[in-house]
Each structure stands twice: as C-alpha cells, then as structure tokens.
Amino acid sequence: MTKTELHNFIENSQPNICQAAAYRNNRKVYSDVWNGYKEDDCVHIMSATKSVISLLTGIAIDKGQIKSVDDRVLEYFPEYKIKRGERTIQDVTIRHLLTMRAPYKCKGDPWTKVCSSDHWTYASLDFLGGRKGITDEFHYQTVCLHILSGILYKATDMKTVDYANKYLFEPLGIKKHMNYLAQTAEEHRQFTVGKQPKDNVWFCDPDGLGTPGYGLCMSAEDMAEIGLLCLNNGIHDRQEIVSPEWIREMTKPRRVESDQFRGMMYGYLWWIIDPEKNIYAAIGNSGNVIYIDPDKNIVISVTSYFKPTISDRVDYIQRYIEPFVSFPD
C-alpha cells in the first residue's frame, strides 16, 4: 500500500484512530492523522498511562528515592490506619502492584467509592488485602493503582505530573504537562468518553496526584518518544533517563493465568506480546498503543478516541502498519 492507501484503509477499517507514528532504526518513517486531529494534539491514552507510571517508578528506584520493588506498600503510609482484622495488606509490596498480583477486596474497579472520596490513595488502600491472603493471582486493576502515585509522592515529595515533567517528559522533548481535576462526575465521564483533542494534561485527584491507571493525555509523537526510550534501553540523546536494568526487569514476561487477555504475558505494567522476540506494548482502552519490536528496531504508536469495543489493535498494528514501515532503508 501507498501512504494514501493506508490512510484510507485505516479511516475505513479503524475509524476511531486519531494519530499514528512509527520509527525504525531511530528515524521517523511514518506519521499520519485522522478525525480532524493535528500531529501535536493530545488524546487520553487510557491504560497506556500505566506503562508510563512503571517508568517513573523505575526512575525513582534508580535515584534511590524508592528503595526496591520489594518494599512493602505500608512502609510509605505509616499514618494509615489498618482496618480491624486486616493482615494481608501488611505484606503487599510494590512488585505486587506493578505485576497486577496485589490482592483486593473487590471484584472489579471500585470507581465510585475511590473517586468520590477526599483521598483517593487511602480509599484505594482500603480495598487492598483481604481474607484470602497473597495468592499471587493476576488481578487487573485500574483505579486502585492510585496507590502507586501515593507512593511516588511519599518517596519524592513531588506530585506525579511534576516528577514526570522533570525526569521523563522534558528530557525527551515532550511538552510540559499540567494537572487536570474534574469538578464533577460528569466532567470525569466526559474526560474519558469525549472525542475532541485534549490539552497536555494528566487527570488527577483532589490532592493533585495523577491517576496512574489512566488519565494521561499524549500525542502519538509523545508516545513514540516513550517507546524509543524503552527500545534504546533507557537512553535518550546519550543521556540515561532510566536504567537498562529497569527496562530489562520491566519487560520480563510473567504468565497471566487468564484467557481474558488473549494469551499475552505481563511485565511491570507493560504487556508482553511475544516473549521470544521480546515484543511488548503499552495498551490502553479504545486502542491506544505503544508497540515496541526490538528485533526489527521498530516503535509504532497509535492514539484513538473512546470506543470501548476495540481489543485487536495490536493485531492490527502487526498486520498492517508494521509491514508498511518495515521496508529496508
């Protein structure tokens, strides 16, 4: 296909895609936009936010601000009052949160109780633990991951967005981000489902802590910069942003004991697409993806407005976009 043919094909077959960008051998080889978006517009990248929080956690560990992924969560919240009879929470570690193996006293995401509370971190801690103990079962969570933003703040005395700006976004040339606080539940909903371009913002709680499970707004170009950083083992422009050791640990495949996730494995808040080739991705609802193929030295990023039934975006990238950008120089 020509670029025009690919543009029209994507427009017709995946109509909620807003932007796409691709790099091969650290050179931009493809970029396009749809739905009235400009190249530098931002989109709510949904759960792909989680993968950015993973990088921020790694940076904090590299700097010695967080000691280890094996730190117990409650070490960072000595003021938190454990509920009567609750013991499991005392043994939950940062690693459990990063690998989605933390136990929770809820089946799904307790959005209403967390997001209507005054302190989202403590409300999330209230759901951590349970009578079953630490079973090491995969339990995908979004809203209660707010605990990670709380830990980052406790460890660094910096709000999520400020830490990201200083140590990740600005070094990569990504525009400075600001907090966005929804004043009402309807504003919160519109932030999620709205189809219009967003500003350079990160959704936050009333304390100004960015939501780590969703809420970050980026362009496909921004996401590609994140992907290139990972592809290049944490190095950007000869500067180490995050250690190669963290990138390796972050992308180490761990089995997911569920058929709900299409056979993918999991690292530290990154999905492992092909463990043999170490292809991995940040994946957000509606088809927001940072796709990294180290074997081909390729990074592909796609942004998309809200459409909840998209579950095959990685397959689509591999089938149509990756072959288009894989031509030799």
Side-chain angles (χ1 to χ4, degrees), residues 23-252:
Y23 284 74
R24 188 183 71 251
N25 298 329
N26 292 299
R27 285 198 313 110
K28 186 193 290 189
V29 293
Y30 175 67
S31 180
D32 207 346
V33 293
W34 297 262
N35 290 304
Y37 275 71
K38 300 189 297 292
E39 191 176 88
D40 60 350
D41 283 334
C42 286
V43 182
H44 177 203
I45 65 171
M46 306 286 189
S47 285
T49 304
K50 296 177 172 74
S51 302
V52 175
I53 279 288
S54 179
L55 288 169
L56 296 181
T57 303
I59 291 170
I61 288 175
D62 290 340
K63 294 182 178 299
Q65 296 163 319
I66 293 175
K67 185 172 58 179
S68 166
V69 293
D70 294 315
D71 287 355
R72 289 181 169 84
V73 167
L74 288 190
E75 292 177 28
Y76 293 86
F77 306 100
E79 74 285 359
Y80 176 75
K81 294 182 180 179
I82 302 173
K83 293 188 178 299
R84 181 177 296 179
E86 172 58 55
R87 290 184 171 81
T88 301
I89 191 174
Q90 299 179 59
D91 294 321
V92 178
T93 67
I94 295 173
R95 188 191 301 272
H96 289 127
L97 297 174
L98 292 172
T99 57
M100 293 292 182
R101 294 183 182 276
Y104 295 97
K105 292 171 283 190
C106 53
K107 290 184 178 180
D109 279 289
W111 288 100
T112 301
K113 289 188 177 180
V114 172
C115 297
S116 63
S117 69
D118 292 331
H119 299 287
W120 293 16
T121 301
Y122 298 138
S124 297
L125 285 169
D126 287 344
F127 287 98
L128 193 63
R131 295 180 180 178
K132 290 184 178 179
I134 296 178
T135 63
D136 207 37
E137 295 175 10
F138 189 81
H139 185 165
Y140 191 82
Q141 255 290 343
T142 292
V143 69
C144 286
L145 277 186
H146 208 80
I147 297 165
L148 284 173
S149 271
I151 290 172
L152 189 66
Y153 177 68
K154 288 282 191 173
T156 68
D157 199 30
M158 293 179 70
K159 302 295 176 68
T160 319
V161 73
D162 296 330
Y163 196 82
N165 281 332
K166 183 173 183 178
Y167 294 113
L168 183 61
F169 296 163
E170 291 178 8
L172 295 182
I174 296 172
K175 288 182 180 178
K176 184 177 181 180
H177 277 58
M178 305 292 289
N179 273 335
Y180 174 80
L181 174 65
Q183 299 297 326
T184 65
E186 179 58 23
E187 280 186 30
H188 193 157
R189 191 184 78 84
Q190 282 301 318
F191 177 87
T192 302
V193 304
K195 298 180 180 180
Q196 299 304 311
K198 299 287 197 296
D199 294 325
N200 300 288
V201 298
W202 196 327
F203 196 91
C204 70
D205 71 1
D207 293 319
L209 302 186
T211 47
Y214 69 109
L216 180 58
C217 297
M218 305 186 96
S219 68
E221 292 292 337
D222 295 336
M223 295 166 73
E225 289 294 341
I226 297 291
L228 286 169
L229 177 70
C230 297
L231 182 69
N232 293 314
N233 296 308
I235 307 297
H236 172 78
D237 197 20
R238 300 182 182 180
Q239 177 187 359
E240 184 178 289
I241 307 299
V242 61
S243 68
E245 291 79 15
W246 180 259
I247 299 295
R248 285 195 294 271
E249 185 65 21
M250 182 184 78
T251 58
K252 185 181 295 183

Side-chain angles (χ1 to χ4, degrees), residues 252-270:
K252 185 181 295 183
R254 296 161 178 86
R255 191 166 64 90
V256 174
E257 303 85 358
S258 171
D259 56 6
Q260 182 181 351
F261 301 103
R262 305 174 70 251
M264 296 186 295
M265 302 179 80
Y266 209 63
Y268 287 167
L269 304 180
W270 285 80

